Amino acid sequence: MNFNYFLLITLLLSYNSFSQEQEKTRGLFYKISIAGTLTINEHYTIQTDDDENLLKLNGFFLNNTFGLQLDERVSIGLNAAIVFHQRQQLRFAPLFLSTHYNVIVDDANYFVRGGIGRLIKLGEKFEKGSLYKIGVGIQFFDENFKNSVLVGLDFSRKRFGYREENKLSSIAIFLEYRLF
């Protein structure tokens, strides 16, 4: 009989603590990201009106992250992505670990992040190699401070090919949505 009372009190207390809206600073999260690199259009001319833009999209990145928020400043994640570089006709499938550090914690967090991993060969059109990245950005929260939108810049370096002698560096503008 005492065990039943103990169980009932534990359930009521846990329900009360989960039902209140609290700012979440620890736990698992999922993040989806799109990013793009821009390049100068070689066919652009100022004097003619031929519907050519000065900048055009060169690379497109789609990234999924499963991560762990350790505290209000630090998180780590496992990332799987698909990367297309149009001008170079290259495709990559990076699998990498990343870390995220909030330099300024406020209503909007300012952060730095980095990652290191491998380029997986999914088929003959995908390159095998290694990946290094570093980035900066800002994180905007919803009204409950749980889900957020992240915007910023990433610098990435991919090494691939025979003995990873080919290199491709790019700066991408990213937009991410994070679910806590």
Side-chain angles (χ1 to χ4, degrees), residues 6-128:
F6 175 73
L7 184 61
L8 181 63
I9 290 171
T10 305
L11 287 173
L12 287 174
L13 288 175
S14 64
Y15 174 75
N16 189 27
S17 66
F18 286 120
S19 65
Q20 297 174 357
E21 290 294 323
Q22 297 176 358
E23 181 179 333
K24 195 165 180 183
T25 58
R26 292 184 180 175
L28 298 173
F29 67 87
Y30 170 75
K31 182 173 60 174
I32 188 161
S33 169
I34 58 170
T37 61
L38 299 175
T39 186
I40 301 292
N41 185 353
E42 298 167 353
H43 304 292
Y44 177 77
T45 55
I46 297 174
Q47 298 163 347
T48 61
D49 188 20
D50 55 3
D51 293 333
E52 292 281 337
N53 294 324
L54 175 63
L55 298 174
K56 68 180 193 177
L57 184 67
N58 179 42
F60 179 74
F61 304 62
L62 181 60
N63 184 28
N64 289 287
T65 304
F66 293 98
L68 177 64
Q69 182 76 36
L70 301 173
D71 61 20
E72 65 182 5
R73 290 198 183 265
V74 179
S75 67
I76 56 174
L78 177 62
N79 302 267
I82 297 290
V83 177
F84 301 101
H85 286 278
Q86 182 178 353
R87 190 173 78 192
Q88 295 88 350
Q89 296 294 315
L90 294 170
R91 294 180 182 145
F92 302 102
L95 184 63
F96 61 99
L97 293 173
S98 64
T99 184
H100 173 113
Y101 180 77
N102 293 324
V103 177
I104 298 174
V105 177
D106 202 1
D107 288 343
N109 293 339
Y110 295 86
F111 63 87
V112 295
R113 67 186 189 180
I116 186 168
R118 301 296 300 166
L119 303 172
I120 309 300
K121 188 147 182 89
L122 292 180
E124 74 179 48
K125 292 188 178 186
F126 285 84
E127 299 292 333
K128 180 180 172 185

Side-chain angles (χ1 to χ4, degrees), residues 129-146:
S130 58
L131 168 78
Y132 309 94
K133 25 181 356 173
I134 189 163
V136 296
I138 186 167
Q139 180 179 19
F140 301 101
F141 292 95
D142 63 3
E143 60 274 352
N144 297 329
F145 283 91
K146 289 186 179 180

